[in-house]
């Protein structure tokens, strides 16, 4: 199974928080093709057990940062707010999809024309206060009555347009695309399941929902399970205060905004990296959280471990090494065999 083909397949599918069905169904197809049973819980998490009575949970999240409709103006402009840490300058003007019950409506995320000195124009107000979601609207070509008839309401999700959901090779070893956080990690999860096929372990793999809006899916699951260990598969962002190298070497979050990993677990992950031959980088993040660390902060798991794929441009058009997904899959499988 080619890792980049998996990533390309998964980023092509929209999956805003609360509406991850298309992504979950595709992951389930791959998991079942490997011979695993998979089920969906009431929250929408996809659960894949490797044995009974799991004490270890491995997560990668299905959802992506997106927009939510907060209203519509009389001319049919759709007013939006972010879901998760989405900034308007990360998207810019371009195609989006308004996800109605009857299917997607094509739209353009718009910020208005610049040829004006009127202080009420978007261009002039941005100069004064910066670009914010108050400057944005989605234009679809439909009027207010038509949008309401199509099912557009406050609460309707707006996702990145399908024409922008592509994977672009860069140089000899890098690739770029939207939502590598966390579609690349979902691909690593599928590959790790392939590597562990035939093993009976006290492990539950979970493709979780609504991570970008507070880790809702993982917390719902772990409140019931109370596992000893949660391993979250994530990105490892390139940031100046926790520097890492943009290569295929996985990174371990030793701490983040919510939790810090035990020194004994750091040594365990180091041993797994030696066994897998992947190497290991370390990050003490000043901002961020994962399914594992957010759950640990709320007493829902005892030992949080977050493993990341190094990425530039987090929450934007992300960039990673072409071999990073395979390396994370090997490290994950090796670690599970040691726990």
């Amino acid at each position: 199974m080619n890792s980049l083909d998996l990533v390309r397949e998964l980023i092509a599918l929209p999956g805003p928080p609360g509406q991850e069905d298309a992504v979950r169904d595709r992951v389930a197809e791959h998991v079942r093709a490997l011979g695993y049973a998979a089920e969906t819980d009431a929250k929408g998490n996809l659960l894949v057990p490797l044995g009974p009575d799991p004490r270890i949970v491995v997560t990668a999240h299905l959802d992506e940062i997106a927009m939510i409709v907060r209203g519509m103006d009389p001319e049919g402009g759709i007013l939006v707010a972010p879901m998760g840490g989405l900034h308007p300058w990360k998207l810019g003007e371009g195609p989006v999809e308004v996800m109605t019950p009857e299917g997607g409506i094509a739209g353009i995320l718009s910020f208005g024309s610049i040829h004006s000195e009127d202080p009420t124009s978007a261009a002039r107000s941005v100069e004064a206060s910066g670009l914010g979601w108050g400057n944005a609207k989605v234009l679809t070509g439909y009027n207010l009555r038509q949008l309401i008839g199509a099912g557009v309401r406050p609460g309707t999700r707006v996702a990145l347009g399908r024409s922008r959901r592509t994977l672009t090779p860069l140089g000899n070893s890098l690739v770029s695309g939207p939502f590598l956080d966390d579609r690349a990690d979902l691909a690593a999860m599928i590959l790790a399941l392939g590597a562990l096929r035939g093993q009976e372990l006290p492990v539950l793999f979970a493709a979780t929902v609504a991570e970008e809006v507070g880790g809702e899916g993982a917390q719902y699951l772990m409140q019931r399970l109370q596992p000893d260990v949660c391993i979250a598969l994530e990105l490892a962002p390139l940031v100046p205060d926790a520097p890492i190298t943009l290569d295929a070497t996985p990174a371990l979050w030793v701490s983040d905004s919510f939790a810090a990993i035990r020194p004994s677990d750091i040594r365990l992950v180091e041993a797994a990296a030696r066994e897998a031959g992947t190497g290991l980088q370390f990050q003490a993040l000043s901002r961020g959280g994962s399914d594992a660390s957010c759950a640990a902060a709320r007493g829902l798991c005892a030992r949080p471990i977050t493993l990341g794929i190094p990425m530039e441009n987090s929450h934007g058009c992300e960039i990673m090494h072409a071999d990073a997904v395979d390396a994370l899959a090997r490290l994950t499988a090796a670690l599970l065999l040691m726990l």
Side-chain angles (χ1 to χ4, degrees), residues 17 52 80 85 101 125 195-196 222 245 275 297 319 322:
V80 292
S125 66
L196 294 168
M222 284 188 273
T245 302
E275 178 67 23
I319 302 169

Side-chain angles (χ1 to χ4, degrees), residues 115-337:
H115 296 85
S116 174
E117 292 298 331
D118 189 318
T120 64
S121 69
R124 302 289 74 82
S125 66
V126 164
E127 290 175 350
S129 57
L131 184 64
W133 287 104
N135 305 113
K137 63 175 64 175
V138 173
L139 303 179
T140 64
Y142 294 114
N143 61 36
L144 180 59
R145 179 182 57 79
Q146 290 170 319
L147 289 172
I148 293 172
V152 180
R153 304 282 190 278
T156 298
R157 274 46 169 179
V158 180
L160 188 71
R162 299 192 186 224
S163 64
R164 300 176 74 178
R165 294 173 171 271
T166 59
L167 202 60
T168 302
L170 299 173
N172 296 320
S173 60
L174 302 178
V175 293
S176 176
F179 314 124
L180 299 181
D181 168 21
D182 214 28
R183 305 299 164 74
D185 300 275
L186 287 169
M189 173 182 281
I190 293 167
L191 294 175
L193 282 165
L196 294 168
R197 190 162 34 176
Q199 299 275 354
E200 183 171 303
L201 300 169
V203 174
L204 177 72
F205 279 79
T208 58
V209 298
E211 189 273 347
E212 297 288 6
V213 290
E216 291 180 10
Q219 291 178 66
Y220 173 85
L221 172 65
M222 284 188 273
Q223 186 173 30
R224 175 169 57 86
L225 293 179
Q226 295 278 298
D228 295 346
V229 182
C230 178
I231 302 169
L233 306 183
E234 267 289 352
L235 86 163
L238 269 69
V239 290
D241 54 349
I244 57 171
T245 302
L246 185 61
D247 61 19
T249 308
L252 171 66
W253 294 14
V254 298
S255 62
D256 61 27
S257 301
F258 294 89
I261 187 173
R262 293 181 184 181
S264 57
D265 283 333
I266 295 176
R267 293 191 294 272
L268 182 64
V269 177
E270 285 183 292
R274 287 193 296 272
E275 178 67 23
T278 60
L280 190 65
Q281 305 188 69
F282 303 90
Q283 278 198 300
L285 289 174
S286 60
R287 181 187 177 103
S290 71
D291 276 344
S293 64
C294 291
R298 292 163 174 80
L300 303 179
C301 75
R303 296 161 56 190
I305 298 173
T306 303
L307 304 176
I309 292 175
M311 292 185 194
E312 180 64 277
N313 294 347
S314 60
H315 285 202
C317 197
E318 290 149 343
I319 302 169
M320 69 176 185
H321 194 282
D323 297 328
V325 172
D326 296 279
L328 181 61
R330 295 200 308 275
L331 174 58
T332 302
L335 179 58
L336 290 172
L337 292 172

